[in-house]
């Protein structure tokens, strides 16, 4: 699981890293659909189980197709080790179980994926761990929330759906000053646009379900970091608890990674073009995308990400009725909460992804009734505009 091919650029790693062709000479990576592996002798079996000899044992924790995916993603993120998991949520659970124990505490951004906050508030306490939540961009609030037993700071940047950008370098310094680790969910940018480990973060988690796949086909996840914490501690959870990625899904994600750099550039270009167009529509009050000069963390985003990413949101005049009218009138965009697909998706956060929040919480975190999120896909921008324009003109 150690990174090789150090001199290669990102796109080359995305296409090549991790595949050591078998004796069959296959060009595309093989899918090893086998639960277990055969040993040459009793002594070899004993040596593998004891860890004295490298090699496959059982696909809960050693599968060659999954290993190619792990090596490739580790190489893209610039990490020593990667552990692939059955889903993004399994990655976050494995991270917490691997690096924390009863009595430990974590500080999380308030603007994280909804199920992540459920995991932190409902299920971590069952293991004796606790979590507190702070506004993503308020560095002083992060510092105030850190306690002697705090082990981990956890965030997503840009945030969903308002695309707020956190200063990864500053938060990594804060974490290290207090003896904590910084974990970044890099789902929205992917390593094609942002590499948190290079900015000082200790760990990266992914929902591979989103842009890494890129075509909405499979559910999967990963944790990336150093050889000790990820290669030993998180791997130990995978081996023992078994939230493993299937070899078939690993192969689909490998095919996704091969086009990642191209796709992320195209998603970002499309989203920025659509954001600028939305800014010119009279029915639109405000547009949120890190590539817009008006974005509050524009300079930070320019420094930290190589492009703005594929997610934007905007607020229409007329609140929820107007937002729903626009969503219901689309013929091209899919009404779904998923994101990171070639197909553009449109969502009303206040009544779906953020529906569990109280009215006060929604107001405090900017989830206005008129807010709409679009995860911009790879259709032509003019077709997305043509889909939205007639209804926008009548709001
Ligand atoms: C989807 C998502 C997750 C959870 O991933 P699953 O693969 O659905 O389990 C975690 N974080 C972010 C930012 C996500 O968008």
């Amino acid at each position: 699981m150690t990174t090789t091919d150090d001199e290669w650029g990102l796109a080359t790693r995305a296409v090549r890293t991790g595949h050591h062709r078998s004796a069959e000479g296959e060009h595309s990576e093989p899918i090893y659909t086998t639960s277990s592996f055969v040993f040459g002798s009793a002594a070899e079996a004993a040596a593998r189980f004891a860890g004295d000899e490298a090699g496959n044992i059982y696909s809960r924790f050693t599968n060659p197709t999954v290993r190619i995916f792990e090596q490739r993603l580790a190489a893209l993120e610039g990490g020593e080790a990667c552990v692939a998991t059955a889903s993004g949520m399994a990655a976050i659970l494995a991270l917490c179980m691997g690096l924390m124990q009863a009595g430990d505490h974590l500080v999380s951004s308030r603007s994280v994926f909804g199920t992540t906050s459920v995991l932190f508030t409902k299920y971590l306490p069952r293991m004796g761990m606790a979590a507190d939540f702070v506004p993503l961009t308020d560095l002083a609030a992060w510092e105030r929330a850190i306690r002697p037993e705090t082990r981990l700071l956890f965030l997503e940047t840009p945030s969903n759906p308002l695309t707020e950008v956190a200063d990864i370098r500053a938060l990594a310094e804060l974490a290290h000053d207090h003896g904590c680790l910084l974990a970044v969910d890099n789902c929205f940018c992917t390593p094609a646009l942002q590499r948190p480990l290079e900015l000082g973060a200790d760990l990266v988690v992914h929902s591979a379900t989103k842009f890494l796949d890129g075509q909405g086909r499979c559910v999967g996840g990963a944790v990336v970091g150093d050889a000790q914490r990820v290669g030993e501690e998180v791997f130990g959870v995978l081996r023992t608890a078994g939230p493993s990625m299937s070899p078939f899904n690993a192969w689909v994600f490998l095919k996704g990674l091969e086009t990642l750099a191209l796709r992320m550039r195209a998603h970002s270009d499309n989203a920025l073009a659509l954001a600028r167009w939305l800014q010119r529509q009279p029915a639109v009050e405000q547009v949120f995308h890190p590539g817009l000069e008006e974005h509050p963390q524009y300079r930070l985003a320019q420094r930290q990400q190589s492009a703005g990413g594929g997610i934007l949101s905007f607020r229409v005049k007329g609140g929820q009725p107007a937002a729903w009218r626009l969503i219901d009138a689309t013929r091209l965009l899919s009404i779904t909460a998923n994101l990171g697909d070639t197909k553009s998706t449109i969502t009303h956060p206040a009544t779906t992804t953020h529906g569990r929040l109280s009215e006060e919480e929604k107001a405090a975190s900017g989830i206005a009734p008129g807010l709409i999120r679009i995860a911009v896909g790879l259709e032509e921008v003019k077709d997305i505009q043509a889909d939205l324009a007639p209804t926008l003109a009548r709001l």
Side-chain angles (χ1 to χ4, degrees), residues 154-176:
F154 187 97
L155 62 88
E156 285 166 26
T157 179
S159 71
N160 178 21
L162 293 171
T163 74
E164 289 176 299
V165 176
D167 189 335
I168 296 175
R169 201 181 283 284
L171 280 158
E173 266 172 38
L174 180 72
H176 299 154

Side-chain angles (χ1 to χ4, degrees), residues 87-89 92 113 116 156 185 187-188 207 209-210 219-220 339:
S87 68
M89 291 318 304
I92 300 172
F113 187 64
T116 303
E156 285 166 26
D185 181 332
C187 187
F188 273 30
S207 168
T209 318
K210 312 295 166 53
V219 176
L339 58 93

Side-chain angles (χ1 to χ4, degrees), residues 74 78-83 197 202-204 223-231:
E80 290 174 342
C82 172
V83 168
L197 301 178
D202 304 285
L203 301 142
V204 164
V223 185
V224 188
D226 64 85
Q228 174 59 36
R229 292 190 188 98
V230 175

